[in-house]
Amino acid sequence: MGGLFGVVSKEDCVNDLFYGTDYHSHLGTRRGGLAVKNAEGFTRFIHNIENAQFRSKFEQDVTKMNGNRGIGVISDNEDQPVLIGSHLGKYAIVTVAKINNSEDLVEKIFGRRTTHFSEMSGGEINPTELVATLIDQESTFEGGIRAALEAVEGSCSLLLLTEEGVYAARDWLGRTPVVIGEKEGSYAASSETCAFPNLDFTIKQYLGPGEIVLITEKGIEQKRAPGQKMQICGFLWVYYGYPASNYEGINVETVRNRCGASLARRDTIKIDMVTGIPDSGVGHGLGYASEAGLPFKRPFVKYTPTWPRSFMPQDQAVRDLVAKMKLIPIRDIIEGKRLLFCEDSIVRGTQLKDTIQRLYDFGAKEVHMRPACPPLTYGCKFLNFSRSRSELDLAARTAIQALEGKDGVDLDKYSTTGSEKYEAMVENIRERLKLTTLRYQRLEDLVEAIGLPKEKVCTYCWDGSEIK
Ligand code: SF4
């Protein structure tokens, strides 16, 4: 998915930029990048972070950087920041974007094919470079950013490091967040507010959908007011976001606790303990345990000294091995017990199946699963993920295919909690995962746990609904 961070300061900003960008490492696994600007120009570094942490890759580079303004990115896709020289001046750009109409944009707007774009492996267009080229079609940065946000189908939030200051802009429908922080002498713009507390920033404002601001040492100047329609990704609270972050003023861990509590309120199951698969299931599990008045325990512990983050080897067999090696089961806690697991979601279910089997191998009597969101039925078309979420691989779609014997059926009936088809699909998934019981969160309960009106939250991957 990716995350971005920028700083404008009266002092040197490199330290804040380095740590602030690092606090986005959970959002991407492929590339990290930093750019700063001082009186002499731009300094930029980009590294592959697929097999090493962001900080270890950049700790030497930052000793060579200085400047009062800088931007950084963790990217799940292309190399960033991109340095651009155009009629608007020299600038650096980072994006969190997925552009579904890139071929159209290139053809329609420029009237020619993609040959002048640097290409990524696989011959795709570099989305950040495309956004920059869209910006450069207009006579001002604010006009160009506005035109780019409006033209992109998918999503695009961005930061621009320019002579004037740092432009920060949030996706046209607000699918990904951008939040402004402040402290004495400095401002920051961030995807994740978990980057703020340890750098002494406090939240100044949440940019609204399509809002554009220019950040200088003097303050924040609004260049475009937010639009009315919003479709912030609901999955940020369920899984992608960091527990210490807030979006729209709503904290991630608090929502996860509420998700678990609402699952517990609908349950009458008799169990010995509640748990959550580290790390993303823990907040949901704590919420369940607290509501149900049951102990929360750790039948698996994560080996954090060498598996601190989830990197994504390309090879599925290596990924499965990593998933197994980093979770260590504790027989003393598992043996003879009825365990209830809260999970953020069930995507394909293949690794989960292995995890459940290991619990039985270590003596579990019963294993119950309570995902914090409804079955994922549609693949996301708005955000970039390093992990493939091909629609037909989704556990729900595999179940529907098994039940119907074909694809291309009416999925609406399967998205309605309690319908005959929905129950058959859940039963199929339960059987395949060898769970004692499986009960998913209802969509209305998830939306209530988030606390925003349904029409402001993207729920496409659960119910296929879409606002344009
Ligand atoms: S489809 Fe799902 S993952 Fe994608 S933006 Fe919407 S809620 Fe988020």
Side-chain angles (χ1 to χ4, degrees):
M1 185 180 142
L4 42 80
F5 188 80
V7 193
V8 174
S9 177
K10 289 181 179 157
E11 313 287 330
D12 189 89
C13 74
V14 172
N15 193 58
D16 284 353
L17 180 66
F18 174 58
Y19 287 107
T21 305
D22 182 57
Y23 277 127
H24 290 77
S25 297
H26 57 288
L27 290 177
T29 54
R30 296 213 163 124
R31 297 288 182 273
L34 297 176
V36 288
K37 189 183 170 312
N38 57 30
E40 279 128 52
F42 292 81
T43 315
R44 175 190 67 166
F45 292 96
I46 298 171
H47 289 293
N48 182 331
I49 54 166
E50 282 172 69
N51 292 311
Q53 290 175 330
F54 173 87
R55 281 201 319 282
S56 64
K57 288 278 187 164
F58 284 82
E59 61 193 357
Q60 288 306 314
D61 299 334
V62 292
T63 62
K64 298 172 208 146
M65 300 177 98
N66 67 81
N68 292 9
R69 297 170 182 170
I71 56 175
V73 69
I74 299 289
S75 167
D76 240 351
N77 201 31
E78 73 274 30
D79 283 355
Q80 305 183 46
V82 176
L83 284 178
I84 302 287
S86 81
H87 70 99
L88 295 169
K90 195 166 182 188
Y91 66 93
I93 176 171
V94 293
T95 65
V96 171
K98 182 172 196 312
I99 307 180
N100 297 327
N101 58 336
S102 55
E103 296 287 340
D104 283 358
L105 288 174
V106 171
E107 263 193 70
K108 277 187 206 149
I109 300 172
F110 311 122
R112 56 179 182 267
R113 279 275 168 198
T114 62
T115 46
H116 77 296
F117 282 97
S118 37
E119 291 187 346
M120 298 162 58
S121 58
E124 291 167 33
I125 300 161
N126 180 322
T128 302
E129 195 181 352
L130 175 55
V131 172
T133 313
L134 288 166
I135 293 169
D136 293 345
Q137 302 307 298
E138 302 295 324
S139 55
T140 61
F141 279 119
E142 63 191 83
I145 294 169
R146 185 202 156 111
L149 296 187
E150 204 170 359
V152 165
E153 285 175 17
S155 68
C156 178
S157 291
L158 58 84
L159 297 178
L160 246 64
L161 176 60
T162 73
E163 290 285 344
E164 299 163 48
V166 169
Y167 282 88
R170 184 172 173 194
D171 172 59
W172 198 247
L173 289 174
R175 288 192 196 278
T176 50
V178 179
V179 189
I180 307 297
E182 67 176 338
K183 67 178 174 182
E184 183 63 38
S186 298
Y187 295 100
S190 188
S191 300
E192 290 282 54
T193 66
C194 67
F196 289 165
N198 290 346
L199 300 175
D200 299 324
F201 285 100
T202 54
I203 295 168
K204 178 173 171 59
Q205 70 183 96
Y206 295 88
L207 293 193
E211 187 171 2
I212 303 169
V213 295
L214 173 62
I215 309 167
T216 66
E217 291 75 0
K218 291 185 194 138
I220 312 292
E221 189 187 341
Q222 189 184 59
K223 294 290 191 179
R224 182 185 184 264
Q228 291 300 310
K229 288 193 234 167
M230 184 162 76
Q231 284 287 279
I232 184 168
C233 169
F235 219 60
L236 280 166
W237 282 283
V238 172
Y239 173 67
Y240 289 112
Y242 211 69
S245 283
N246 284 26
Y247 319 113
E248 312 304 321
I250 302 168
N251 172 250
V252 172
E253 180 73 355
T254 306
V255 170
R256 291 183 187 170
N257 291 168
R258 288 200 290 250
C259 279
S262 72
L263 284 163
R265 279 194 292 275
R266 291 192 185 273
D267 245 344
T268 51
I269 195 102
K270 295 277 176 275
I271 48 170
D272 298 308
M273 74 182 83
V274 182
T275 186
I277 295 178
D279 295 314
S280 53
V282 172
H284 304 293
L286 285 167
Y288 189 112
S290 161
E291 179 71 21
L294 289 162
F296 180 90
K297 294 202 180 184
R298 297 195 297 164
F300 283 113
V301 287
K302 191 166 163 187
Y303 192 72
T304 50
T306 51
W307 303 109
R309 71 194 283 263
S310 49
F311 69 88
M312 286 292 159
Q314 292 305 299
D315 189 296
Q316 185 61 44
V318 181
R319 280 218 293 269
D320 292 346
L321 181 71
V322 169
K324 177 181 173 183
M325 296 311 274
K326 69 183 175 187
L327 289 181
I328 307 174
I330 306 174
R331 187 181 287 278
D332 291 25
I333 292 183
I334 299 169
E335 199 154 42
K337 296 295 190 309
R338 301 167 297 178
L339 300 95
L340 183 141
F341 266 87
C342 286
E343 233 323 29
D344 51 83
S345 57
I346 298 177
V347 183
R348 293 181 313 144
T350 41
Q351 279 174 6
L352 192 57
K353 189 175 174 187
D354 293 344
T355 306
I356 293 160
Q357 185 54 49
R358 297 191 82 214
L359 286 168
Y360 288 123
D361 294 346
F362 280 78
K365 199 162 133 201
E366 296 174 6
V367 182
H368 307 268
M369 176 75 49
R370 299 292 180 266
C373 67
L376 293 164
T377 312
Y378 302 85
C380 175
K381 54 183 182 179
F382 308 111
L383 307 176
N384 253 323
F385 300 112
S386 58
R387 186 167 42 159
S388 153
R389 270 177 52 175
S390 157
E391 260 182 18
L392 297 179
D393 289 344
L394 294 169
R397 292 293 281 271
T398 309
I400 294 168
Q401 169 103 32
L403 292 165
E404 299 275 349
K406 59 179 190 230
D407 206 35
V409 296
D410 179 5
L411 295 173
D412 269 2
K413 293 187 183 118
Y414 285 96
S415 300
T416 311
T417 311
S419 71
E420 208 175 302
K421 297 235 178 223
Y422 174 91
E423 296 297 348
M425 172 185 71
V426 174
E427 177 58 14
N428 184 285
I429 299 169
R430 184 199 68 75
E431 270 179 16
R432 201 147 34 88
L433 296 179
K434 297 205 176 80
L435 288 161
T436 315
T437 67
L438 170 65
R439 189 168 303 135
Y440 283 87
Q441 186 85 277
R442 289 166 175 256
L443 187 56
E444 62 269 29
D445 289 350
L446 171 60
V447 172
E448 195 184 323
I450 291 171
L452 289 172
K454 161 94 166 65
E455 66 275 14
K456 288 194 178 292
V457 183
C458 177
T459 57
Y460 176 83
C461 51
W462 299 297
D463 65 357
S465 69
E466 213 177 329
I467 290 174
K468 292 189 177 164

